[in-house]
């Protein structure tokens, strides 16, 4: 495998190319078989490579860009970090491909959908397997592209088209920073491979490291939907639900966390940048969780939940616990995509995304309900489920490394998380039915992937220590040992707060049937998502549009083009004026001639005298 | 060989004059096969070209008028790439006119072929006088192409285009006279001119004269207003060649003539030119964003993209310089393709107003697919060609000045804004007009036009070395001459 | 006659020609006036040639006379055409060159 692991991304690429070129002539059935199996092959390759991996594998295919001292090979890297990502990505992607066969069965863009989904898997695998920053950037923008294509998949809906465009542009804002970060790193190191940067990071000043790390982090906030660039993710829910599960929950949005983990030595060297990562992460976690408390669209709740959970991951990496952050990324991939798939199953059955029109679905969709419940328990941090271990790991690390405030906010957010996710469950599956009539359970092809994910939503959390140990060859993984008593206290606190959150949700939405829930101003503020979109519109989007329009009308046409036309008119009018002399009368010409001769003679004679 | 490539189109055009105009099919097929033949011949040059030698190759030198006004052609790496870009785009331009041009076909194809000779001549001329002749000769067919087969405001657009360009080139002509006078033996051979010693104050004047001509052609802000009009009114093939090739001549003129012959003059204008290039990037993008006419939008996007090219050439670092040249090729491809696609949409819907379009991806999925990949190439998606050029330009600029690079790189955000907005308005949303649901998708001819372009997007994006290695040495050499004029004196005479 | 009076005569002829050219409106008289100016100039040339005792000026006069004769023929023909086409031949009838 050592020589062949670089093939991992290319199986789905093959599929994407094949579907795009021959989409017209191949049958739907072929697509349904081929698309998941190609991703399956990637998964198998990843698994074999994972099992065989020792140390770091680097495979250089050819020299991609080479000018002067700039040399970027087309190279892949397989090490503990990327192996985990490759496994997660290809595994979850495979399951979601299978699920999509059922979910998208009746869609007119079936083949196009799988082409995009395969293309996405390719880009994402490219991202995680790249050995240098520009290569990573290829995948980085590639996943952004697929995200754009898939969010706007139902492009006839204006909201979907807008959401796709918004996602791409906001991501581009982040990529702008990312690109400048790459340039800065190049001017500092003269080499852009991860291994070189990570091993030579001591050679640059911490200030420069801070600048580069923060610029790259701007890219991460865009891709991973963190403050202040998170605004595209809630809108991205316009895409098909399996897409939300795969791209906007499990894989793409965690790319930022992966990038920071990958370049952790750089962030560590800066110190300040690492703190920024932690704080942005935890504030985003709290911020998004509060919004999720009051949303009524089932997918939007999950979207804000994703933003919040990724915030946790950044907080984890930011306090120095790369293993904990990556571990949460790993478990989150399972339970969050399960949440989305289960929500998709609900939407598939009910035909609406508004939770106020659901209710009582527990009886008609039992399998979906149980899957959802497992995932909800996992994200709430109930002991025994995956989320408990990984979230706890982050909170513990934050506490032990002395970031008491981050720990506190994290704990509060955990309570909010438990509340909003169970609010979702109670509104959807409990109570009496509202506004739906022909709900039905989803087909097996959708339920099986969900069950597999449910399985992993439980067991994937059971390995925190071996996970960290596995990552240790990276060289910057510390495993902190806490005293037993501290650990137990921390666990008790977070479990208590999770249970409290669930209880409050039960109390409000089951006991009181959602009545008496009115906080007036705060509710409005949260429901309006803090009006951040409106703010951005006000200070960036519309000034740019209005300004451009004004410049176009008054400056481009009014001044520049006017000047150009004016010079033309000047020549025209000047000519017209002079042409008055051309009377057509012989006499006048004679007169001018005489005048000319006399003047000439005058000067000639004067010069003689 | 080069002379043959340059003059075969002219020869065929002359032949056409003697053939009665009713044989419409003949002119189409004849032009297509001529241009393809020329393309194949230029590929042969590409193969034979020795990339290790930075100087012009395939040189032909004939005594012509005398007094130093010789016929001297040849191609170094940079010329070669632009030559191939031209010969590559020509068959596509001919094919795109297949059904678009319905009247006076004979004259139309004569003009296209004449244009090809003019364009190729500019890139291979090695004598300044010869260069000037081709430079001006190219205008004439373009004048007719826009003026006869153009849109509604074609006369206004043509007059503006020709007068604007003339204004610039007349000043250049004066400069040429001066150079002719002071050059030893009146030689106007480029490499002799590089070694001229001209006093800095004169250099400033001469650079201004040459620079204006080229800046108008590029076009750099604020000399750009002829471009949207000319582009919008020109027939598709005219727009393709205008964007794909003619706009490159400004940049080519700067890097081949204005900068190396008058390095001191260039140095005097350096900061202003950088600022103009950056303004072009941002300004062009902002203007493109608010256009209602799809073709106008693409025209303004050219201003923005050419800003990137010029920044790369002006900033004088090897990466940016190479990237700038590479970006010329990219822009020729992707903007040419944008015009082709907008032209195809226009042929179907007879409108370019984006307000009236929308939702076309439903009836025209293939066209939508080609449009999106072209848009992506144009906004520099990594993996496609545009990225390589932009990346090199920006990383090279970053070496010279971080601030300039930061401002210029804003272009990557803004280009996504206006091009995706265009795509959305044309292809997404509900179909505005029920008749549009019955529009025919791309036919085989149109697909065959686009496929080579798309292949090149991927090829140039994934394995740029193949192309860069051909002109890398020449670019480095030109850059050295520009940076240190004394080098030119050492290698005096180059390929003599 | 003295040189002076001959020169005076030539100047008078020339001035008369100019005056005629500017005062009269019909093309034939204007043509006549132009011829008179020519005659004046020729006379002056001849006078100077005798003073300088050179033959070139006389040769020039001969050339001028010949050319003038031809020119008059052409001009008269043109005027005749104008008169036939437009009914009269004054300067107003041939002002097509008006800008």
């Amino acid at each position: 495998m050592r020589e062949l692991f670089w093939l991992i991304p290319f199986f789905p690429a093959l599929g994407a190319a094949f579907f795009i070129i021959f989409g017209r002539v191949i049958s739907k059935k072929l697509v349904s078989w081929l698309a998941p199996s190609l991703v399956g092959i990637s998964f198998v390759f990843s698994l074999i490579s994972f099992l065989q991996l020792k140390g770091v594998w680097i495979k250089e295919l050819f020299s991609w860009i080479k000018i002067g001292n700039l040399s970027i090979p087309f190279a892949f890297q397989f090490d503990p970090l990327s192996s985990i990502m490759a496994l997660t990505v290809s595994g979850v992607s495979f399951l979601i491909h299978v699920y999509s066969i059922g979910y998208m069965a009746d869609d007119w863009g079936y083949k196009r959908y799988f082409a995009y989904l395969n293309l996405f898997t390719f880009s994402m695998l490219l991202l995680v397997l790249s050995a240098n920053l520009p290569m990573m950037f290829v995948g980085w923008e590639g996943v952004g592209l697929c995200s754009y294509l898939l969010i706007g998949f139902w492009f006839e809906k204006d909201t979907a088209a807008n959401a796709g465009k918004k996602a791409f542009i906001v991501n581009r804002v982040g990529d702008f920073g990312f690109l400048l970060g790459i340039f800065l790193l190049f001017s500092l190191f003269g080499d852009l491979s991860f291994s070189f940067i990570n091993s030579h990071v001591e050679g640059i000043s911490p200030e420069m490291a801070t600048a580069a790390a923060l610029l790259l982090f701007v890219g991460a906030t865009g891709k991973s939907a963190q403050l202040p660039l998170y605004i595209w993710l809630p809108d991205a829910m316009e895409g098909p639900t399996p897409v939300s599960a795969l791209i906007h929950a499990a894989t793409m949005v965690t790319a930022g966390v992966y990038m920071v983990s990958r370049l952790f030595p750089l962030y560590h060297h800066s110190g300040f940048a690492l703190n920024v990562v932690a704080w942005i992460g935890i504030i985003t976690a709290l911020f998004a969780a509060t919004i999720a408390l009051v949303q009524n669209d089932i997918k939007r709740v999950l979207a804000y939940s994703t933003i919040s959970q990724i915030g946790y991951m950044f907080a984890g990496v930011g306090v120095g616990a790369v293993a904990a952050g990556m571990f949460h990324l790993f478990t989150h991939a399972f339970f969050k995509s399960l949440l989305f798939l289960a929500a998709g199953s609900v939407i598939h059955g009910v035909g609406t995304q508004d939770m106020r029109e659901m209710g009582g679905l527990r009886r008609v969709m039992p399998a979906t309900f149980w899957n959802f419940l497992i995932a909800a328990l996992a994200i709430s941090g109930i002991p025994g489920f995956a989320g408990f271990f990984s979230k706890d790991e982050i909170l513990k690390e934050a506490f032990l490394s002395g970031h008491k405030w981050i720990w506190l906010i994290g704990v509060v957010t955990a309570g909010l998380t438990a509340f909003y996710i169970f609010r979702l469950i109670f509104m959807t599956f409990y109570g009496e039915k509202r506004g739906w009539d022909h709900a039905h359970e989803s087909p097996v092809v959708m339920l099986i992937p969900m069950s597999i994910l449910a399985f992993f939503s439980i067991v994937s959390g059971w390995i925190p220590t071996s996970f960290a140990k596995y990552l240790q060859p990276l060289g910057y993984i510390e495993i902190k040992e806490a005293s037993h008593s501290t650990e137990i206290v921390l666990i008790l606190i977070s479990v208590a707060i999770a249970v409290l959150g669930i209880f409050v949700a039960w109390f409000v939405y089951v006991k009181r049937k959602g009545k008496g829930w009115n906080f007036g101003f705060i509710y409005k503020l949260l429901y309006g998502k803090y009006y951040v979109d409106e703010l951005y519109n006000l200070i960036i989007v519309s000034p740019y549009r209005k300004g451009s329009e004004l410049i176009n009308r008054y400056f481009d046409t009014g001044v520049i083009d006017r000047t150009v036309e004016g010079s033309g008119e000047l020549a025209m009018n000047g000519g017209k004026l002079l042409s008055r002399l051309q009377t057509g009368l012989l006499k006048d010409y004679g007169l001018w001639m005489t005048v000319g001769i006399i003047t000439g003679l005058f000067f000639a004679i004067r010069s003689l005298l | 060989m080069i002379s043959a490539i340059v003059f075969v189109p002219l020869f065929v055009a002359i032949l056409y004059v003697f053939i009665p105009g009713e044989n419409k099919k003949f002119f189409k097929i004849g032009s297509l096969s001529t241009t393809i033949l020329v393309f194949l011949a230029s590929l042969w040059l590409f193969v034979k070209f020795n990339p290790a030698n930075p100087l012009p190759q395939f040189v032909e030198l004939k005594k012509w008028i005398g007094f130093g006004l010789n016929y001297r052609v040849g191609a170094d790496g940079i010329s070669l790439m632009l030559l191939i870009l031209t010969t590559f785009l020509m068959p596509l331009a001919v094919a795109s006119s297949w059904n678009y041009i319905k009247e006076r076909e004979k004259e139309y194809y004569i003009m296209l072929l004449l244009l090809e000779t003019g364009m190729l001549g500019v890139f291979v001329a090695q004598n300044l006088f010869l260069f000037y002749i081709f430079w001006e000769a190219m205008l004439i067919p373009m004048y007719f192409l826009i003026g006869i087969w153009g849109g509604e405001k074609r006369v206004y657009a043509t007059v503006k285009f020709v007068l604007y360009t003339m204004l610039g080139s007349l000043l250049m002509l004066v400069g040429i006279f001066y150079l002719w006078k002071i050059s030893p033996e009146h030689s106007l051979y480029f490499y002799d001119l590089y070694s001229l010693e001209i006093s800095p104050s004169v250099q400033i004047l001469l650079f201004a004269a040459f620079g204006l001509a080229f800046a108008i052609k590029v076009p750099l802000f604020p000399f750009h207003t002829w471009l949207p009009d000319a582009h919008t009114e020109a027939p598709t093939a005219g727009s393709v060649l205008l964007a794909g090739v003619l706009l490159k001549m400004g940049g080519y003129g700067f890097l081949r003539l204005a900068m190396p012959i008058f390095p001191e003059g260039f140095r005097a204008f350096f900061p202003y030119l950088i600022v103009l290039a950056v303004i072009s990037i941002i300004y062009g993008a902002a203007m493109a964003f608010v256009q209602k006419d799809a073709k106008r939008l693409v025209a303004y996007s050219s201003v923005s993209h050419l800003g990137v090219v010029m920044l790369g050439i002006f900033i004088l670092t090897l990466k940016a310089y190479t990237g700038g040249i590479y970006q010329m090729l990219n822009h020729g491809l992707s903007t040419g393709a944008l015009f082709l696609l907008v032209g195809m949409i226009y042929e179907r819907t007879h409108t370019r107003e984006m307000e009236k379009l929308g939702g076309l991806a439903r009836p025209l999925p293939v066209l939508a697919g080609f449009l999106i990949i072209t848009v992506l190439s144009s906004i520099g998606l990594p993996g496609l060609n545009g990225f390589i050029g932009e990346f090199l330009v920006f990383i090279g600029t970053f070496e010279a000045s971080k601030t300039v690079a930061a401002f210029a790189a804003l272009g990557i955000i803004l280009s996504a804004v206006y091009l995706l907005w265009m795509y959305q308005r044309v292809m997404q949303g509900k179909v505005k007009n029920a008749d549009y649901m019955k529009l025919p998708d791309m036919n085989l001819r149109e697909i065959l036009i686009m496929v080579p372009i798309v292949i090149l997007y991927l090829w140039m994006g994934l394995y740029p070395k193949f192309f860069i290695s051909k002109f890398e040495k020449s670019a480095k050499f030109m850059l050295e001459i520009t940076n240190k004029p004394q080098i030119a004196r050492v290698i005096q005479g180059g390929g003599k | 006659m003295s040189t002076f009076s001959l020169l005076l005569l030539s100047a008078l002829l020339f001035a008369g020609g100019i005056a005629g050219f500017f005062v009269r409106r019909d093309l034939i008289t204007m043509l006549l006036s132009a011829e008179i100016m020519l005659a004046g100039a020729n006379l002056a040339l001849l006078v100077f040639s005798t003073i300088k005792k050179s033959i070139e000026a006389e040769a020039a006069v001969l050339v001028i006379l010949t050319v003038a004769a031809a020119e008059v023929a052409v001009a008269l023909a043109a005027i005749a055409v104008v008169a036939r086409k437009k009914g009269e031949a004054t300067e107003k009838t041939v002002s097509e060159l008006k800008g």
Side-chain angles (χ1 to χ4, degrees), chain B residues 87-271:
Chain B
T87 57
F88 172 76
L89 286 176
M90 272 312 289
L92 307 182
V94 170
S96 78
S97 316
W98 214 256
N99 296 333
Y100 188 84
I101 300 300
K102 293 210 173 69
E103 51 190 35
R104 307 178 73 175
E105 278 94 343
K106 173 177 160 180
E107 289 84 353
Y108 179 81
Y109 289 105
I110 290 178
M111 289 306 158
L112 270 188
L113 291 172
L114 289 181
L115 185 63
E116 179 166 26
T117 294
M119 295 187 300
L120 294 176
V122 168
F123 292 133
V124 299
Q126 296 294 325
N127 180 298
L128 188 51
F129 185 71
L130 192 63
F131 173 88
Y132 184 79
I133 287 183
F134 281 122
W135 175 274
E136 290 286 295
M138 200 177 61
L139 272 183
I140 301 163
M142 205 64 208
Y143 173 84
F144 288 112
L145 281 177
I146 304 177
I148 297 178
W149 294 276
E152 279 158 31
K153 279 170 67 193
R154 56 177 179 263
V155 175
Y156 169 79
T158 351
V159 170
K160 196 171 178 181
F161 162 66
V162 170
L163 285 185
Y164 220 138
T165 338
M166 280 289 210
L167 171 78
S169 37
L170 278 179
L171 285 175
M172 177 163 79
L173 185 62
V174 177
I176 294 177
F177 289 152
Y178 183 86
L179 287 177
W180 179 77
K181 207 176 126 228
I182 62 165
S183 177
E185 298 167 38
H186 296 314
S187 167
L188 286 176
Y189 176 44
F190 291 166
Y191 289 79
D192 288 340
L193 295 177
Y194 298 154
S195 54
L196 283 181
E197 283 180 68
I198 311 171
S199 73
S201 54
V202 178
Q203 284 202 19
I204 290 177
L205 282 177
L206 288 174
F207 184 85
F210 277 72
L212 183 68
F214 299 141
I216 288 173
K217 203 78 166 191
V218 169
L220 271 182
F221 172 90
F223 308 110
H224 64 273
T225 54
W226 64 268
L227 181 79
D229 287 313
H231 266 323
T232 317
E233 299 307 321
T236 302
S239 303
V240 171
L241 295 174
L242 200 55
V245 185
L246 265 71
L247 299 192
K248 308 291 131 32
M249 291 175 179
Y252 178 75
F254 268 114
L255 73 84
R256 175 73 80 211
L257 298 170
M259 289 160 58
I261 302 182
F262 319 113
E264 294 299 325
F266 172 63
R267 222 138 286 158
F269 285 100
F270 177 74

Side-chain angles (χ1 to χ4, degrees), chain A residues 392-468:
Chain A
D392 217 55
E393 202 67 15
I394 291 176
L395 292 176
K396 187 183 86 186
E397 292 281 353
F399 189 82
L400 291 180
S401 62
H403 296 84
K404 297 279 168 5
W405 279 104
I406 290 181
W407 172 79
L408 187 65
I409 299 174
V411 170
V412 172
T413 308
L416 297 177
T417 308
F419 173 81
Y420 68 67
I421 208 74
F422 273 89
R423 168 176 176 267
L424 193 157
I425 286 198
F426 293 138
M427 278 179 85
T428 311
F429 294 102
Y430 283 77
E432 64 262 32
K433 77 178 211 181
R434 307 180 287 263
W436 54 267
D437 21 47
H438 294 298
H440 54 82
E441 185 57 280
S442 297
V444 182
V445 72
M446 287 164 71
L447 290 177
I448 290 178
M450 284 162 65
S451 314
I452 297 173
L453 284 172
F455 174 71
F456 279 106
S457 299
I458 300 170
V459 302
S460 67
W462 297 353
I463 49 162
T465 330
S466 40
F467 190 90

Side-chain angles (χ1 to χ4, degrees), chain A residues 69 155 162 165 556 561 565, chain B residues 156 160 224 283 300 319 429:
Chain A
N69 62 342
F155 57 80
N162 281 330
K165 188 180 65 190
D556 204 53
D561 209 28
E565 283 177 0
Chain B
Y156 169 79
K160 196 171 178 181
H224 64 273
Y283 186 85
Y300 273 107
K319 294 182 199 81

Side-chain angles (χ1 to χ4, degrees), chain A residues 116-264:
Chain A
Y116 292 167
L117 215 55
N118 265 346
L119 187 65
F120 168 78
T121 312
F122 160 67
S123 310
M124 191 66 207
L125 288 169
L126 194 67
L127 192 164
V128 300
L129 291 176
S130 58
N132 54 51
L133 271 166
M135 283 275 300
M136 183 192 231
F137 193 65
V138 176
W140 186 271
E141 285 244 307
V143 289
L145 161 70
C146 299
S147 163
Y148 163 78
L149 292 170
L150 284 163
I151 295 169
F153 182 73
W154 290 309
F155 57 80
E156 287 173 315
K157 258 175 38 193
D158 278 329
T159 46
N162 281 330
K165 188 180 65 190
K166 182 174 176 185
F168 196 92
I169 290 169
V170 173
N171 266 304
R172 270 265 155 151
V173 176
D175 293 351
F176 166 74
F178 196 94
L179 207 53
L180 290 182
I182 293 180
F183 297 157
L184 185 57
L185 282 179
F186 178 74
S187 67
L188 293 171
F189 292 98
D191 189 319
L192 287 169
S193 70
F194 295 124
S195 51
F196 188 91
I197 292 175
N198 281 346
S199 54
H200 292 75
V201 83
E202 298 298 331
I204 62 168
S205 71
E207 289 75 29
M208 276 299 149
T210 304
L214 288 182
L215 282 171
L216 290 176
F217 187 60
V218 172
T221 57
K223 190 100 325 186
S224 295
Q226 298 293 292
L227 280 172
L229 294 179
Y230 71 95
I231 47 164
W232 62 272
L233 187 61
D235 288 19
M237 297 301 128
E238 291 288 342
T241 306
V243 168
S244 312
L246 176 61
I247 302 185
H248 306 121
T251 55
M252 181 187 91
V253 285
T254 58
V257 182
Y258 169 72
M259 189 273 294
V260 176
S261 310
R262 181 95 271 173
L263 287 170
F264 185 77

Side-chain angles (χ1 to χ4, degrees), chain A residues 24 62-70 72 74 108 134 137-138 141 145 148-149 152 155-156 158 161-162 165 168-169 172-173 175-176 179-180 182-184 186-187 192 544-545 548-549 551-552 555-556 560-561 564-565, chain B residues 156 160 164 221-222 224-225 283 286-287 289-291 300 319 322 361-362 365-366 372 376 379-382 387-388 391-392 394-395 398 406 409-410 412-414 417 420-421 423-424 428-430 441 461-464 472:
Chain A
R24 283 291 175 80
F62 55 86
S63 162
W64 182 35
I65 303 177
K66 185 165 173 17
I67 289 168
N69 62 342
L70 172 73
I72 303 166
F74 204 82
W108 68 274
F137 193 65
V138 176
E141 285 244 307
L145 161 70
Y148 163 78
L149 292 170
F155 57 80
E156 287 173 315
D158 278 329
N162 281 330
K165 188 180 65 190
F168 196 92
I169 290 169
R172 270 265 155 151
V173 176
D175 293 351
F176 166 74
L179 207 53
L180 290 182
I182 293 180
F183 297 157
L184 185 57
F186 178 74
S187 67
L192 287 169
Y544 178 59
R545 175 185 294 267
S548 301
E549 260 162 19
I551 293 175
N552 184 40
F555 185 68
D556 204 53
I560 300 184
D561 209 28
V564 174
E565 283 177 0
Chain B
Y156 169 79
K160 196 171 178 181
Y164 220 138
F221 172 90
H224 64 273
T225 54
Y283 186 85
M287 290 306 101
F289 178 54
V290 293
Q291 297 306 316
Y300 273 107
K319 294 182 199 81
T322 319
R362 190 75 192 249
V366 179
I372 190 74
L376 293 171
I379 63 184
L381 188 87
F387 173 70
I388 307 288
F391 185 80
L392 289 175
F394 293 147
I395 203 169
F398 197 85
L410 276 179
I412 69 159
I413 303 177
L414 301 180
V417 173
L420 291 183
W421 179 220
Y423 182 78
Q424 185 182 355
Q428 299 181 323
K430 284 257 180 302
D441 205 349
L462 292 175
Y463 198 60
E472 199 182 353

Side-chain angles (χ1 to χ4, degrees), chain B residues 46 49-51 53-58 74-84 126 191 252 256 325 329 467-475 478:
Chain B
F46 187 82
F49 186 82
N50 173 13
N53 178 3
L55 293 167
Q57 303 177 27
F58 319 109
D76 70 349
I78 304 169
S79 297
L80 181 80
M81 294 315 291
L82 290 167
L83 177 99
I84 289 176
Q126 296 294 325
Y191 289 79
Y252 178 75
R256 175 73 80 211
I325 297 167
L329 307 175
F467 302 91
I468 290 180
S469 63
K470 286 283 180 185
F471 67 82
E472 199 182 353
K473 281 268 163 16
S474 302
M478 287 308 298

